[in-house]
Amino acid sequence: MDTVFILINIALMLALIGLLIFMQKRHVSFSKRVFTGLGLGILLGVLLQVAYPADSEIVSTTTEWYNILGRGYVQLLMMIVIPLVMVSIIQSIINLEKSADLGKMSAWIIGILVGTAMIAALVGIVTASVFNLDANQIEIGQAEQDRGFALEETLGEVENLSTPDKILSFIPANPFLDMTGQRSTSTIAVVIFSVFIGVAVLGVRRKKPEEAAKFTEIINAVYAVVMRIVTLILRLTPFGILGLMANTVAGTDVAGILELGKFVGASYVALISMFIIHLILLALFGLNPFTFLRKVLPVLGFAFTSRSSAGTIPLNIQSQKNSLGVHEGIANMSASFGATIGQNGCAGIYPAMLAVMIAPSQGIDPLSFGFIVQLILIIGISSFGVAGVGGGATFAALIVLSSMNLPVALAGLLISVEPLIDMGRTALNVNGSMLSGTVTSKILRKLNIKTYNNPTAIEKDTTI
């Protein structure tokens, strides 16, 4: 009998896929198809929640099949991330008018990412205090205890990673290893390797222009092919979001959300507050924040459902260039750096809220000036090299809590609501990277204002 229900669930998914294909053939805009996929995925997930017990074989088998659509799409994006980052940055540097622009671009992007992460930490501190969050108020179950023990074991692997060691981890000792994405800093390492190649080409161009011209021609050809692959993959975004959202809602621990509803609510208040701060920053630089918000929503929708900053890089770059008018080189760097540096949600808000929650259990006043300053500075430093995939926030929290001499095991208290909060954190991370690219372009006078203000520019992504 279970097999019949599983087949019915698969048939429902196929019917919804057919609806999205019909919308694509009718030339419905990309953003509308994305949010249709999001809404349909929520409805399908709710149906699974209501119709079957969460731990039933029907739900587990159904979600495994749905994963072909959801996680399969994310894996396709991850497949193209490294080639896209590498070729895009090399081409961007080759096309720079002045090599000095590279340093300015990097400095502004990283500065904005880390600066907003520190602001996010302050938002997390204030929110946790206003909601009076306290780790002692949460009951610890077996799953939370197991998670706590696992975190303590993980801490043994990362607690000796000093700031100089973290900086050294950015250097690609083996660029071919980093091209496989095996390290949390692999994306940055590939960026650095690509920068060396681009700068080397600029040097060769002065001494051997013919050889440089040949290499540039090859890079331009490879770039065209890679971008075509990106376009082909991005066409699948509405379908990927459908599968991801259906699985996320179907697997949501409703009891855990009710138990930790106060923390979930406080987390989203902090995340929304930081989103508003992002919009205020745009306004301060003379840019219409509502135009920005409308154009980045499809990207944020995917980031929300996939919980992967790294997987969102291709869509991030495309949207910055085509919809916001961001300079190509800046778009590539901000999307790449933003996946592992200065993540406002995972490296900023989350560790700060945990620290404020846990501090009272250790007899520490979380609102003391010394505690707040120390916490914000540590978060700013530790925001380098956070993994741009699910679980990156836990890694960031380990570093911050251990640096503040707070017990990391208590972070296991939130295991049941981690996926739900991580969705919002990832969307904020991606928004922060797009903000850094847009503001940097504006500061360096490389932003195409006409494209930014053009309400139809977003449709350039919708014809893919």
Side-chain angles (χ1 to χ4, degrees), residues 143-203:
E144 286 77 13
Q145 290 180 352
D146 293 342
R147 171 73 177 272
F149 294 143
L151 290 178
E152 287 182 330
E153 293 178 2
T154 304
L155 176 61
E157 302 173 4
V158 301
E159 63 181 353
N160 295 322
L161 194 62
S162 63
T163 299
D165 288 335
K166 292 189 68 177
I167 295 174
L168 284 174
S169 70
F170 298 153
I171 300 175
N174 184 348
F176 298 100
L177 172 66
D178 288 314
M179 288 177 194
T180 65
Q182 293 300 305
R183 303 190 299 144
S184 62
T185 56
S186 284
T187 303
I188 296 179
V190 170
V191 170
I192 292 174
F193 180 61
S194 303
V195 167
F196 271 100
I197 294 176
V199 172
V201 173
L202 294 179

Side-chain angles (χ1 to χ4, degrees), residues 313-389:
I313 287 176
L315 193 58
N316 186 336
I317 293 174
Q318 285 283 79
S319 184
Q320 285 196 59
K321 291 192 303 180
N322 296 344
S323 300
L324 297 173
V326 174
H327 178 271
E328 185 173 22
I330 294 175
N332 292 324
M333 287 192 174
S334 62
S336 303
F337 283 144
T340 47
I341 294 177
Q343 295 185 350
N344 289 191
C346 291
I349 288 176
Y350 184 64
M353 292 185 71
L354 283 185
V356 172
M357 283 179 62
I358 295 172
S361 67
Q362 305 300 303
I364 301 172
D365 180 10
L367 296 181
S368 65
F369 180 77
F371 180 87
I372 292 175
V373 171
Q374 183 185 6
L375 179 58
I376 291 176
L377 290 176
I378 288 176
I379 284 177
I381 295 171
S382 65
S383 67
F384 285 81
V386 176
V389 294

Side-chain angles (χ1 to χ4, degrees), residues 2 21 23 37 87 95 120-122 142 156 173 181 217 234 236 262 274 281 323 344 364 369 394-396 428 445 454:
D2 286 358
I21 292 174
M23 292 176 67
V87 178
N95 293 330
L122 183 59
Q142 186 60 47
E217 186 177 350
L234 293 186
L236 303 174
K262 186 178 180 181
M274 195 60 204
L281 288 174
S323 300
N344 289 191
I364 301 172
F369 180 77
T394 299
F395 182 80
L428 181 62
R445 299 181 180 180
N454 183 2

Side-chain angles (χ1 to χ4, degrees), residues 94 160 169 192 224 267 272 277 313 366 392 403 457 461:
I94 290 174
N160 295 322
S169 70
I192 292 174
S267 296
I272 293 171
I277 291 174
I313 287 176
S403 299
D461 285 339

